Each structure stands twice: as C-alpha cells, then as structure tokens.
Amino acid sequence: MDASCVVRILGSAAGGGFPQWNCRCPVCALAWDGDARVVRRTQSSIAVRGREGAWALVNASPDIRQQLLDNPPLQPRRGSRDSPVAAVVLTNADIDHVAGLLGLRERWPLRLFATRPVLMALAANPVFRALDEALVERCEIALGVPFLPVPDVEMELFAVPGKAPLWDEGEEVRTDIEDGRTVGVALRGAGEDDWAHYVPGCAAVNDALRRRLDGTRLLLFDGTLYDDDEMIRLGLGPKTGRRMGHIPVSGRDGSLAALAGSAIGKKVYIHINNSNPLLVAGSPERQKVETAGWIVAEDGMEFPL
Ligand code: MLT
Ligand code: MN
Ligand code: ZN
C-alpha cells in the first residue's frame, strides 16, 4: 500500500452532471456531439484515502455506482462482502451530495459524518431509513472540531455562506446562512502540518473564509457557474448563481478575483455546472483561469494529501 494519503476526484460536475440528461446548452451540445474539447463528468464527490487503505467519501453523488465502477481502488477486494469505503462525510443536504447514500444501502457498515442540520435533513426524509442506523452510524460533527473519518485522515468542518437545500427552501430564501447547513472541509493526513480544503458549495468569499484559505496547499473550490447570470442568459433557468448558493467565477466579487491575492498551493475548480464554459478546453474563460493558476477538475484526478 502506498504510504501517503490522497484525494481523488470522483465527480467534478455540479448537480445534473455533464452533459445533463435534458440539456443542449452550448456546452452540453459539445458533449452530446462528441467534441474532443470536452470530457464527460459525473456529479459532485471526492474520496480521501488514509495510509491504511480505507476511503472516506466526501459527499455521496447520485452517480456513486458509476464512480465506484470507474475507480478500482474503491472496489471490493476480498471475501464475499467487502468495501474499502468506510465513511461518508457530507458538506450539505443537497440532492447531488446525499442521493448517493441510497446507493450504499446494501448492509455495509459505514460511518456517516455531518453537522446537525444536515443530519436532521436526512432524518426528515424516511427514505434514508434504508441505511439502517445499526450499521450506518450517524456521527454529528461540531464546526471547528477535528475528527478522523478513517484512520490517518483528519478533517474539520467549517461553515461557509450558503442556503437551505433546494428541496427544503421554503418561501423566503437567504443565501448568507452560516449555521452549518453548508460547510467546507479542511483535511490533512494525521500528523501533517498543513490543511487542504474542499469547498464544493459557497455563496460568497468573506474575510473569514479568505483568511482560512490563505496559505492552504490544495484548494478544491466551487466553480459552479462562470458568470452569475449564465443560466438566465442561456435561457436555462431563472436564477443567478448566487441565488443558487454559488459564487460565480467571474466578476468583481467572483471567486477568481476574491482569491487572487491568496497564497494557495494548488487551486482547483470543482462542482462545475454543465453550462460553464470552463468545461471547454481552450475557451477564453478556461484560458483566463488557467493563466491565473487554476486547474479545472476532471473525474479521476488525484492529489497527494
Ligand atoms: C446545488 O449545488 O445548487 C444543488 O446541487 C442544486 C440541486 O440540488 O439540484
Ligand atoms: Mn450541487
Ligand atoms: Zn447544459
């Protein structure tokens, strides 16, 4: 077994995946037509492996079965029932992050780590009883308190600005909630000095977040939309990125500008919506972020932790 801890990107697309089943926006059209400038991507999830070989998934995507088929290190190795997947950590209760739990219902012992509001959202949906609590232990995680989801991998959850899950929005929607309904994950090999950070959903980069991310050696960050009004402009939907709880990449308050002055080792855009021109190799938008030192995530990319 390789002695180091790693992060592997299982799904680099936002909810809907790329291409999205019912979409023929300009970027999805390239994928449907087999254009070599784009590659398909599954929905939002990463996996983190400790030195002993156990994996923690961070978010459980609706594409989880495909992701396990595509990633041999996550497959059963011995006996009649086996999986190196020992834990699932959740960053919110959005469908693209929790629906995959239902794909893990075949009576395998797992530990499920999340904040109280996220665990409450799951408990409010009876379908998740399919994950028997006797086997799938719900572990409530307090913000700012480190925990080890698998041996040798340390994580800490921190609140980032966000909103209630789409399916639970209610009448009035605030996108600046910082109560643990949406979190980022700090992660490191136990005993290492520096944290890496995974933030697949984030409505704004405020000073606290900028301070936290400054100096990180690896950042996987919300790259949902390139322009805040991208969905509206393309006739795909009525909402801005911010209204969906996602800071856009571009613009004066976008993530590219907000993080430009920060010392970050590797910067990776992840959770990318199918409408986002960053998905097209060689596009002006892609060139712009690459010139600024960003990597646009693809499924299967791996980074040492
Ligand atoms: C999001 O990231 O905004 C959500 O995945 C939306 C959704 O649940 O479809
Ligand atoms: Mn999402
Ligand atoms: Zn599309």
Side-chain angles (χ1 to χ4, degrees):
M1 179 57 57
D2 184 335
S4 56
C5 301
V6 296
V7 177
R8 185 182 278 235
I9 295 175
L10 301 185
S12 52
F18 175 63
Q20 177 176 306
W21 71 282
N22 62 347
C23 191
R24 215 177 143 81
C25 73
V27 187
C28 282
L30 294 177
W32 294 124
D33 295 344
D35 193 291
R37 289 171 292 174
V38 296
V39 293
R40 293 178 176 187
R41 287 164 167 85
T42 63
Q43 296 169 76
S44 184
S45 173
I46 63 170
V48 185
R49 193 200 63 208
R51 296 185 190 95
E52 289 174 19
W55 289 85
L57 305 183
V58 189
N59 292 322
S61 142
D63 296 322
I64 192 161
R65 183 167 180 279
Q66 177 73 42
Q67 292 168 342
L68 297 178
L69 292 176
D70 288 346
N71 289 276
L74 292 162
Q75 296 168 5
R77 286 166 298 187
R78 60 183 80 84
S80 54
R81 276 281 197 275
D82 182 48
S83 172
V85 179
V88 182
V89 182
L90 300 173
T91 63
N92 60 25
D94 279 356
I95 288 171
D96 58 344
H97 290 162
V98 303
L101 291 171
L102 301 174
L104 299 173
R105 67 191 178 283
E106 282 84 10
R107 300 195 58 76
W108 182 252
L110 290 167
R111 288 198 297 162
L112 181 55
F113 298 88
T115 60
R116 186 180 184 80
V118 172
L119 289 179
M120 282 171 57
L122 294 183
N125 277 277
V127 70
F128 290 106
R129 288 185 207 148
L131 294 163
D132 184 354
E133 297 209 18
L135 277 174
V136 180
E137 187 190 350
R138 274 65 162 177
C139 307
E140 183 180 323
I141 298 300
L143 298 173
V145 179
F147 61 102
L148 277 74
V150 292
D152 295 319
V153 175
E154 196 177 0
M155 296 192 187
E156 189 182 303
L157 305 183
F158 53 95
V160 297
K163 63 169 187 62
L166 180 60
W167 55 266
D168 199 21
E169 276 187 357
E171 294 277 293
E172 204 192 318
V173 178
R174 279 178 48 204
T175 59
D176 59 351
I177 300 171
E178 286 190 71
D179 66 354
R181 250 177 281 193
T182 307
V183 299
V185 185
L187 51 157
R188 64 183 175 189
E192 302 285 330
D193 290 334
D194 314 329
W195 294 100
H197 291 86
Y198 170 57
V199 187
C202 178
V205 176
N206 55 27
D207 287 341
L209 182 59
R210 198 180 291 107
R211 270 197 304 278
R212 174 183 276 278
L213 299 180
D214 198 23
T216 192
R217 60 200 183 90
L218 170 66
L219 171 64
L220 308 175
F221 192 80
D222 185 344
T224 307
L225 297 190
Y226 189 80
D227 291 321
D228 199 34
D229 67 352
E230 183 175 304
M231 303 280 290
I232 301 169
R233 215 179 54 228
L234 293 167
L236 303 174
K239 293 179 196 166
T240 62
R242 285 197 174 82
R243 167 62 184 76
M244 294 190 293
H246 297 288
I247 183 175
V249 171
S250 76
R252 204 155 42 91
D253 301 323
S255 58
L256 193 60
L259 296 170
S262 304
I264 299 173
K266 262 200 177 82
K267 300 181 279 194
V268 183
Y269 277 124
I270 198 165
H271 190 279
I272 306 163
N273 195 59
N274 58 78
S275 58
N276 190 328
L278 288 184
L279 294 172
V280 186
S283 69
E285 296 84 357
R286 174 81 158 255
Q287 287 176 2
K288 183 165 179 187
V289 304
E290 285 177 347
T291 302
W294 286 83
I295 296 166
V296 175
E298 282 183 23
D299 296 9
M301 281 182 173
E302 203 171 85
F303 301 94
L305 196 55

